[in-house]
Each structure stands twice: as structure tokens, then as C-alpha cells.
Amino acid sequence: MCGIVGILGKGPVAWPLVEALRRLEYRGYDSAGIATIEKGRIERVRAPGKLMHLSQKLTGLDLQGTAGIGHTRWATHGVPNETNAHPHIAGHVAIVHNGIIENYRDLKAELMAEGVVFETQTDTEAVAHLLSRELKAGAKPVDAVRHVLARLEGAFALAILFEGDGDMLIGARRGPPLAVGHGDGEMYLGSDAIALAPFTNKLTYLEDGDWAVLTRGGVTIYDASGAKVSRDISHTQASSMLVDKGNYRHFMAKEIAEQPEVIGHTLGDYVDFTQRKVRLEGLAFDWKQLDRLTITACGTAYLAGLAAKYWFEKLARLPVEVDVASEFRYREAPLPKNGLAIVISQSGETADTLAALRYCKSQGQHTAAVVNVPESTIARESDVVFRTFAGPEIGVASTKAFTCQLTVLICLAAAAGKARGFLNAKDEEELISALIETPRHIHEILRGEAHIKEIARKLSAARDVLYLGRGINFPVALEGALKLKEISYIHAEGYAAGELKHGPIALVDENMPVVVIAPRDALYDKTLSNMEEVAARGGQIVLMTDASGAQANEGRNFDVITVPKSHPLVSPLLYAIPIQLLAYHAAVFMGTDVDQPRNLAKSVTVE
Ligand code: M6R
């Protein structure tokens, strides 16, 4: 993960580097650092922890350097202390790195055998020393980089600064994204368009294997073979405005509250509100011709994919394989001729999901991406992009991105069902009408937040929590458990309710809250039986159901969260909301860092 940035400016660059890093903090917040060239010498300032600690350190300094690089870290090699914070310096070179140098142990051993002393536990330091060795041997910076890149294995984006040359930055990309920004007499490097948005909207996205030599006069780009290449300049739409929390205490709270609006916005792109029909344009494939659909994603996006499996199979009778991308990418799964592969990603930069997409392409699949960031690598490399219109999601826990992914996927499944002749006009109208009601229903759920908060108070005292759901609500149970553990650090597991008696019921005692997701649908009675098995063993039940389910359980010693009744297939979009609120308030009661929970990052660009 990690975010990297580099600036060749007209004026001092220290604070512009920090500004760019603020926008990259979603990639990691274990430590941050910058290096600038001050009177011909590299000056470095680093601090463990969040970016504000670096800012505090810089406040007392008067850095005037006009060339510099910066880094915000999600630790892979070495604990997140100041020593391991980037930039790393060796001799006359400073370097920042996103990714993993897989052969760093061999490189380190080689350098140590020559007497090089390593200061850090990072993989990156080996690259700095290799470059320094090249320079000491008389190589020019460009040749030094060329030679060193040839020695590196793994996935990386690098930005390199050379002492004694205040008009040069070199960036390289193999795997993680890197963009070159074109200013007026200024040049930039950054992990993404958002980082560079305050400075320029003219970007060149480096292609995999590219490396670029920047001076204030422009950029020369080389491809993996070392040949000079020309790459297009595009105009990014990324906003230079930093998103703020408004009146909310946390971004997560704000993003939960935004869901009626962003789901409505997303529906606007996929649904004809007047005709109550699904509307899809620009497809590069024919749903009728498909034999199988392969869905890959990570984390919450994977759980959206799991819900999609139920939808595609039910509405379109299309067989679906869903995989976590980190497993799928190395499984060498045989894929059918003329199959469709859908990847799902908020950021569009998740390394495993990107690798899965590339594998599917190499196997001749049509590829489509459900993404929130339209300029991301995944969006750029997919045949078709189905955008979610969640807007920037800042909280590490995915909330509005998830429900927007669900929104797009249910619309795609409906389109497929229609095209394949399994969804008739009446059923389509019923489904789309229910979807159109979703924003209103979510408003209604949000109005009950105070009650959910009281239940969350009880959950926050638990050591373990179980979430149960069946059918289309099984993925919601998994998502509930994921959300709770990632922000409150309470251990939680999601189970298919029918699986309970095959093992996990052994965990149930009077200290175990069990959250049961059970709208009154075709599987309600089955789920209720599973719930009774828990109640009989003393488990504390939190029942999420609709009014009729709540009525049927009146007088029981349960906590009940009532969710508006909707079309059975639409329920994940609604039940996702109390699930998020429970996790959010439990985390607030626990006093955790809700928006930036420990050990996590918003975008996982390493495997
Ligand atoms: O950006 P992506 O959607 O590809 O990210 C995938 C996961 O890393 C992400 O959903 C993660 O699981 C969230 N933190 C969960 O809330």
C-alpha cells in the first residue's frame, strides 16, 4: 500500500508534499515522511503515526527546497517506527516506495557482503543502496535507475530524488499505479490523481513497467524494455477539494448517512424511474451468449459479489463463481470460452483484484468492473466499467461503496435476467419499484439510529459476536461480522444460519450476542428455527426483521431492529444499514479510531 508523491516546484515543496500526502493517507497511516533538497543537500523529516505528527515536526522548520518526495506508509517490512519510515537515504539518493521488493533479502545479502550497513528493516532500503552503489561507480542517475530496476523483483512504485540534482525526479512503476503530473514549469509524481489534484489536472498514467525521468521542462518515459515511449496526457476530473466530515464526528457516520442520496444517484444511472425498468447501455457482450459469470473481489467488495451470485442465479439463471481475488489469482481456474468476468472494487487499485482481472483477460474473458473511482487502474483496464456513484469514501470501513456496489449488481442481474428471458416485465417492474423505494426506506432506518446505538452499547461489552443470515442475507451476515471486527476489534463471525449446528453453536452461551438477519421472506421460518437453537442455549438475540417478523416475536427477550419491508431480493441493501450502525456505535463505545482503524488501510495495493 503506501502513498508516494514527488514535486519539482517553482517554490518550496515541503507543505505541498504534505498536502498531497493528506490525500494519500487512505493508503496507509503508520508513518509519514518527506525529503527535500535544501541548498544542494537532501534534508529528511519523518514521523511515526499519522500525518499530523509529521506536520507538527515540519512546523518548526523552514524548509525552502523546491524538489522533494514524500511518503505515507502502511508497514509491510519492519515495524512502523521512525527508522523504518520513508524516505530512505543511501549516499546521494533518497527514495520512497509503494509495494514489495520480493528479492530484497538476496539484494541485502549481496550488499552486506560488500560492507553496506543497513539501518532499517525495510525492503526499500536495499533499492536505495543499489542506486547509491551505481552512482558511486560513476553511473549517471538515469543509468543507475535503469540498472537497478533490472535487478528488482516484485511489485513497486518508486519516486527517487538525487542530491546534487534539484531538477530531476525519477519515478518507476511495476504493479502499483503511478501518475506523472504536468504543471506550468513544475512537474509531479503521485500514486493517484487525487494526490495531484491541488496542483494539476494534466496527468500521464504510467503503464506497467514504465519509468519516467522528470525535469521542470517535461518528462521522458521509458517502457520495461528501456525504449523511449510516448504516453498520452489526460485531463483528470479528480477534485482538488478535500472532503470533510461536515457536522459528523467521523467520516464513517457521514458516509452511512449519505446512503439514501448516493444509492439514488447510482440508481439514476441504471434504472429508468418512469418506466420502472432497468437501463444499461454500451455493453460489449451479450448476456444471452454467456455460460458463466466469474466474480472476484476482496473484503467487503467480495461480499457484494457473493450477494450478486444469488441475484444472477435467481434472476438470470446464470451460473456464477465468486472468489476472493487473492485465492483466485493463483488458482489458475479454467474459465469458459466467452465467459464474463466481473471485478468489484471501491478504489479500483486493490492489487489482488487487479491481478484477477488481468488473469481473466489473459484467459479471453470479457471483463467488466464495478468501481467507484473511474480513473483507477481497474477501471482503465476493464472492457466495460459499471460505475458506482458513492462519491469519495474516506472511512476505511466500506459503507456507502458497499451498498452502491449492491445497487449496481442487482441492476446488472436484472438486465441479464431480462436479456436471457428469465425476468418478465411484471417482475422487472416489481423489482425496480422496490429499488426505487430503497433511499426512502434507508431514511426510515436511519431515523431509528438511537435504538440501534443502545443495542451497540451492549455489543461493545461482548468478546465475540455471531451474525447469522440465510440466502441473500448470508452475505449481509458476513459483512456485519467484518464491519464489527475491523473497527471495534471485537471478534465476530458471520455464518449461514443453517450451518450453525455444524460447529459454531458450540460457542454459544449467555455471553454471546447473536445478530440474526431475518426478513419475513421464504427462508424466514428456517432462519427462525436456527435462532431458536441459539435462544435455547442462552445466546442474546439481536433480531433484525421487518414489522411482521417483529410482531411475531413480540414478548420475547430479544433486541429487535425493525427494517422496512421490501422485495425479498432487495433486502441486503436495507439490512446493510443497521449492520453498519451497530458496528459504528460499538466502535465509538470502544473508543477506537473509527475512520482509521489499527493495522488497516483504505486501499490495499500490495498482495
Ligand atoms: O477498494 P476495494 O473495494 O477493492 O477494497 C477491498 C477491501 O479491501 C475493502 O472492501 C475492505 O474489506 C474494507 N475495509 C471493508 O470495510
Side-chain angles (χ1 to χ4, degrees):
M1 277 121 50
C2 308
I4 67 174
V5 61
I7 304 181
L8 291 173
K10 288 179 185 158
V13 295
W15 286 108
L17 287 169
V18 172
E19 170 63 20
L21 292 179
R22 202 180 313 287
R23 298 159 160 275
L24 288 173
E25 232 187 341
Y26 73 91
R27 290 171 157 261
Y29 37 79
D30 288 339
S31 64
I34 64 165
T36 53
I37 297 192
E38 304 290 324
K39 299 194 179 117
R41 296 190 54 109
I42 293 177
E43 187 78 36
R44 172 175 66 176
V45 185
R46 300 176 294 173
K50 304 254 175 86
L51 188 59
M52 65 180 179
H53 297 121
L54 177 69
S55 298
Q56 280 158 4
K57 267 188 148 175
L58 284 169
T59 302
L61 305 173
D62 182 27
L63 296 181
Q64 291 296 318
T66 58
I69 54 178
H71 189 265
T72 179
R73 179 171 189 239
W74 184 82
T76 59
H77 294 71
V79 296
N81 58 16
E82 181 165 338
T83 308
N84 288 328
H86 298 216
H88 293 294
I89 296 181
H92 299 299
V93 182
I95 181 167
V96 287
H97 165 216
N98 167 31
I100 294 175
I101 307 296
E102 284 171 358
N103 60 335
Y104 86 97
R105 283 189 192 81
D106 295 342
L107 298 172
K108 189 169 176 176
E110 175 187 317
L111 288 156
M112 285 173 76
E114 292 171 12
V116 172
V117 177
F118 276 73
E119 287 174 1
T120 78
Q121 301 160 298
T122 65
D123 50 341
T124 313
E125 191 182 352
V127 185
H129 285 299
L130 284 177
L131 287 165
S132 173
R133 183 173 74 179
E134 289 285 332
L135 294 179
K136 276 188 199 147
K140 297 258 185 290
V142 174
D143 295 322
V145 171
R146 188 194 309 275
H147 297 158
V148 169
L149 288 178
R151 303 283 322 272
L152 304 183
E153 288 167 20
F156 51 80
L158 303 170
I160 311 163
L161 185 68
F162 298 89
E163 194 166 81
D165 196 340
D167 189 27
M168 180 188 285
L169 273 181
I170 298 185
R173 153 173 200 218
R174 199 183 295 164
L178 191 62
V180 174
H182 304 258
D184 179 15
E186 301 187 308
M187 292 294 286
Y188 308 90
L189 276 173
S191 293
D192 66 21
I194 304 165
L196 302 185
F199 317 118
T200 180
N201 68 349
K202 283 196 270 174
L203 295 188
T204 299
Y205 289 100
L206 295 183
E207 290 187 13
D208 209 18
D210 282 357
W211 53 289
V213 181
L214 283 69
T215 65
R216 287 181 181 77
V219 60
T220 308
I221 301 177
Y222 302 88
D223 69 9
S225 73
K228 266 189 200 172
V229 284
S230 110
R231 303 281 183 228
D232 293 343
I233 297 181
S234 56
H235 287 78
T236 169
Q237 306 293 319
S239 162
S240 61
M241 303 285 287
L242 256 189
V243 185
D244 68 27
K245 289 192 270 233
N247 293 327
Y248 292 87
R249 183 163 166 200
H250 298 102
F251 279 108
M252 186 178 174
K254 177 170 178 257
E255 289 158 4
I256 290 173
E258 281 170 359
Q259 289 175 106
E261 188 190 332
V262 295
I263 289 174
H265 192 183
T266 302
L267 277 174
D269 228 56
Y270 295 92
V271 154
D272 179 330
F273 283 78
T274 324
Q275 305 274 326
R276 303 194 167 238
K277 286 189 184 329
V278 67
R279 192 183 56 199
L280 269 192
E281 280 141 27
L283 287 187
F285 53 86
D286 179 358
W287 294 111
K288 288 198 289 296
Q289 303 299 319
L290 298 178
D291 296 326
R292 206 180 81 191
L293 174 58
T294 305
I295 299 180
T296 46
C298 299
T300 289
Y302 161 73
L303 298 176
L306 195 54
K309 176 182 172 72
Y310 287 81
W311 286 327
F312 275 100
E313 291 185 351
K314 176 97 183 157
L315 294 169
R317 309 302 301 149
L318 182 57
V320 180
E321 291 276 335
V322 195
D323 263 293
V324 283
S326 54
E327 286 299 313
F328 175 82
R329 62 181 292 187
Y330 292 116
R331 224 178 57 220
E332 296 179 14
L335 299 174
K337 242 178 113 199
N338 198 31
L340 170 66
I342 297 184
V343 294
I344 308 167
S345 176
Q346 187 284 126
S347 61
E349 301 295 352
T350 301
D352 288 320
T353 310
L354 178 59
L357 168 69
R358 289 177 178 163
Y359 174 76
C360 290
K361 279 188 109 164
S362 76
Q363 300 300 301
Q365 303 295 288
H366 301 290
T367 58
V370 176
V371 281
N372 197 39
V373 181
E375 294 177 30
S376 58
T377 312
I378 286 176
R380 284 185 279 118
E381 293 194 13
S382 301
D383 298 337
V384 189
V385 175
F386 297 116
R387 276 187 70 185
T388 52
F389 293 89
E393 191 180 63
I394 310 294
V396 163
S398 184
T399 52
K400 59 176 182 167
F402 175 59
T403 47
C404 286
Q405 286 161 355
L406 293 177
T407 305
V408 172
L409 289 163
I410 194 170
C411 290
L412 295 186
K418 210 169 140 177
R420 292 165 67 83
F422 292 103
L423 183 70
N424 63 37
K426 180 175 157 288
D427 291 346
E428 180 187 8
E429 190 181 332
E430 219 170 88
L431 181 73
I432 302 304
S433 301
L435 278 173
I436 292 172
E437 290 306 305
T438 303
R440 184 175 64 78
H441 284 154
I442 295 178
H443 269 302
E444 208 173 313
I445 298 167
L446 292 172
R447 278 199 291 275
E449 184 168 357
H451 171 60
I452 298 174
K453 184 173 170 185
E454 280 318 303
I455 299 172
R457 187 193 296 279
K458 296 186 202 166
L459 281 200
S460 68
R463 204 190 58 179
D464 311 283
V465 180
L466 268 185
Y467 286 74
L468 303 180
R470 273 189 105 116
I472 188 64
N473 289 302
F474 166 48
V476 185
L478 294 175
E479 172 63 1
L482 174 60
K483 216 86 299 173
L484 187 71
K485 51 192 161 195
E486 80 173 319
I487 58 169
S488 74
Y489 317 148
I490 297 169
H491 172 242
E493 296 296 338
Y495 270 96
E499 266 295 288
L500 192 68
K501 52 188 165 298
H502 298 288
I505 199 162
L507 295 169
V508 173
D509 61 17
E510 58 286 355
N511 298 316
M512 167 79 84
V514 182
V515 180
V516 182
I517 300 150
R520 204 147 193 186
D521 58 13
L523 292 176
Y524 171 79
D525 289 333
K526 307 269 176 221
T527 313
L528 262 274
S529 304
N530 302 135
M531 185 185 78
E532 294 299 352
E533 292 154 12
V534 172
R537 286 156 182 87
Q540 309 162 25
I541 306 287
V542 178
L543 174 62
M544 295 187 182
T545 185
D546 47 39
S548 114
Q551 200 182 19
N553 285 281
E554 240 169 36
R556 307 286 305 266
N557 186 23
F558 299 159
D559 284 312
V560 179
I561 297 172
T562 310
V563 174
K565 181 136 190 89
S566 182
H567 189 295
L569 289 180
V570 173
S571 57
L573 278 98
L574 301 182
Y575 285 79
I577 313 300
I579 281 292
Q580 296 165 355
L581 288 171
L582 268 187
Y584 171 73
H585 287 293
V588 173
F589 285 124
M590 298 291 286
T592 59
D593 189 341
V594 172
D595 285 333
Q596 295 186 326
R598 70 185 180 202
N599 306 337
L600 290 173
K602 183 74 184 155
S603 175
V604 184
T605 57
V606 293
E607 52 173 305

